[in-house]
Amino acid sequence: DISLPVGATTYVSAFAVTNQNYSFKLAAPSQVTFTSSASAVASITTAGKIVALTSGSTTITATSIGITPSYTATIKVTVR
């Protein structure tokens, strides 16, 4: 989980782990998309930059592109 004051920014990255336990960073925006469930609270750019806009909570979802199987990860962001 991430907690940010209004107006703050931070970056997130997405990693995938294969069945052979090999970890690799997904390159944004060609291999991963980011979305915010409440973009009025915190937005996220295609590069993974989170911008805290107003008090509240949102969930950031990272979804892989062009990788089989597909990977999805979420993180809760609280803006205070």
Side-chain angles (χ1 to χ4, degrees):
D1 291 5
I2 299 173
S3 180
L4 298 169
V6 172
T9 62
T10 192
Y11 281 87
V12 292
S13 298
F15 288 82
V17 180
T18 67
N19 291 339
Q20 295 79 27
N21 210 28
Y22 174 72
S23 174
F24 59 97
K25 182 177 179 181
L26 300 175
S30 63
Q31 292 181 313
V32 65
T33 60
F34 295 104
T35 57
S36 172
S37 65
S39 57
V41 173
S43 64
I44 187 158
T45 68
T46 57
K49 180 181 179 181
I50 297 172
V51 180
L53 301 171
T54 190
S55 296
S57 295
T58 187
T59 299
I60 300 295
T61 302
T63 305
S64 65
I65 301 170
I67 298 172
T68 303
S70 180
Y71 296 89
T72 300
T74 60
I75 189 166
K76 182 180 176 185
V77 177
T78 302
V79 179
R80 55 190 196 298

